[in-house]
Amino acid sequence: MRAKSTPKVSVLTPIYNTNPQYLRECIESILNQSFTDFEFIILNDSPDNKEIEKVVKSYKDQRIKYHKNEKNIGISASRNKLLDLAQGEYIAIFDHDDISLPTRLEKEVKYLDENPEIGAVSALMQKFQCKKDGIVDYRPEFDYEIKCALTDNCYFTHTAAMLRKSILDENNIRYEGFFSPCEDYQLWNRLMDITHFYNIQEVLVRYRAFDGNTSHIQKDKMDRYHDAISLDIQNRYPAYHKAWIKMLSPKHYLKTRFRIRLFGFIPLLKIKKDWILLFEFIPVLKLKRH
């Protein structure tokens, strides 16, 4: 049982030469959460950048705990330092240029509280500030589906994730710098045989997909490490990979992955059990079996 003086959640955000406006939007999205029992630990890995330090210190909210590295140590080492600083029962991961919707923490805490067998929960994210504005990427919902999908790609959104800190501590699991900038994918790889996953089927984070984020700047390196991690998971869990290949068959794909959302949020059309559903529950057309 946690001490009354410790927060329920530790929100962990490493910053590195962050655009000041993006950082303000990031910080304010956490401070405006409906769930309030948290500490917000921000670690500056660009210690010479006085402008972003000024941004963080302009907020007088006592839940913000600001730290600064003496020198740049890199993203994985910074994430591990944040984990060591965290006092919360749950860890909420959040990147420095994204936006959490107001009920994100509340809904993820509620899910973990009600489902003790789940060690990591995430949610859908909506892209913005890019050519694909409003796009909501597919994320499988349940543990089995997530683990099958992880044999192919990182289908568990890192910036939207919340984990039980005890699972990381008790199993001596931390981010592995060797795999940076795919340290998140490798983290899920390490957790696959330790705990269960769940994806809330609701947009809880807006992901800023612009040319300045890591997935664009380090694309070649990311692709190499992504492929190495994917192959490792496939070798360790061949049954999951075989099931994933089956899921990609046209018929199964339509049944489980097809969904159109109105304005990116409201479910409009979905195919389930050969029926096209309006607003996910009104049957409008039955598909023919082949």
Side-chain angles (χ1 to χ4, degrees), residues 55-245:
V55 169
V56 177
K57 289 185 173 181
S58 70
Y59 294 92
K60 305 307 178 184
D61 195 304
Q62 293 184 350
R63 294 171 296 182
I64 293 178
K65 298 180 180 179
Y66 175 68
H67 298 266
K68 179 171 63 174
N69 293 329
E70 293 184 2
K71 62 180 181 179
N72 174 259
I73 62 174
I75 185 62
S76 294
S78 292
R79 291 194 192 281
N80 287 335
K81 186 173 179 178
L82 283 164
L83 287 174
D84 293 338
L85 289 167
Q87 298 296 311
E89 177 183 356
Y90 299 152
I91 299 298
I93 299 164
F94 192 45
D95 289 340
H96 62 164
D97 47 19
D98 298 332
I99 296 173
S100 283
L101 272 63
T103 58
R104 177 207 165 172
L105 297 184
E106 176 186 349
K107 291 182 176 181
E108 291 179 343
V109 167
K110 184 175 186 293
Y111 191 85
L112 289 177
D113 281 349
E114 294 178 353
N115 297 274
E117 74 282 2
I118 302 295
V121 63
S122 191
L124 302 182
M125 69 175 185
Q126 183 188 44
K127 294 179 180 178
F128 74 107
Q129 198 170 310
C130 64
K131 294 179 180 179
K132 296 182 178 180
D133 266 14
I135 293 294
V136 178
D137 288 339
Y138 163 77
R139 291 292 181 267
E141 183 173 2
F142 298 104
D143 180 70
Y144 166 73
E145 299 166 335
I146 294 169
K147 288 176 177 175
C148 289
L150 284 172
T151 67
D152 176 59
N153 209 333
C154 192
Y155 282 97
F156 198 73
T157 303
H158 188 243
T159 191
M162 182 178 288
L163 298 81
R164 298 182 191 276
K165 188 172 188 291
S166 59
I167 289 177
L168 300 177
D169 291 345
E170 291 168 8
N171 293 282
N172 194 29
I173 291 178
R174 288 295 187 264
Y175 292 95
E176 298 176 45
F178 177 82
F179 293 98
S180 181
C182 290
E183 71 278 353
D184 55 337
Y185 194 10
Q186 176 63 6
L187 182 69
W188 309 144
N189 182 12
R190 293 282 308 278
L191 288 173
M192 277 186 68
D193 59 358
I194 291 174
T195 193
H196 299 292
F197 298 83
Y198 183 77
N199 271 319
I200 296 172
Q201 297 297 291
E202 179 181 347
V203 173
L204 294 181
V205 167
R206 299 186 70 215
Y207 172 74
R208 196 184 303 269
F210 70 111
D211 290 342
N213 61 21
T214 302
S215 61
H216 288 88
I217 295 174
Q218 300 188 50
K219 185 180 185 305
D220 290 343
K221 186 178 180 182
M222 179 171 281
D223 288 346
R224 288 197 304 273
Y225 285 121
H226 166 275
D227 291 346
I229 296 167
S230 175
L231 183 60
D232 181 53
I233 299 175
Q234 290 173 26
N235 287 334
R236 291 170 56 222
Y237 304 100
Y240 281 139
H241 185 56
K242 185 177 180 180
W244 175 247
I245 297 301

Side-chain angles (χ1 to χ4, degrees), residues 4-64:
K4 290 183 178 180
S5 59
T6 60
K8 179 76 170 181
V9 175
S10 296
V11 182
L12 308 183
T13 299
I15 62 178
Y16 176 77
N17 290 332
T18 312
N19 179 304
Q21 180 57 36
Y22 299 168
L23 182 57
R24 287 191 179 279
E25 293 174 10
C26 163
I27 292 173
E28 289 170 13
S29 76
I30 295 299
L31 297 182
N32 292 327
Q33 289 289 303
S34 57
F35 181 89
T36 59
D37 185 12
F38 64 83
E39 61 177 355
F40 188 9
I41 310 179
I42 300 173
L43 176 61
N44 186 357
D45 195 34
S46 49
D48 294 331
N49 191 323
K50 303 301 182 183
E51 186 175 10
I52 60 172
E53 179 173 77
K54 184 177 179 180
V55 169
V56 177
K57 289 185 173 181
S58 70
Y59 294 92
K60 305 307 178 184
D61 195 304
Q62 293 184 350
R63 294 171 296 182
I64 293 178

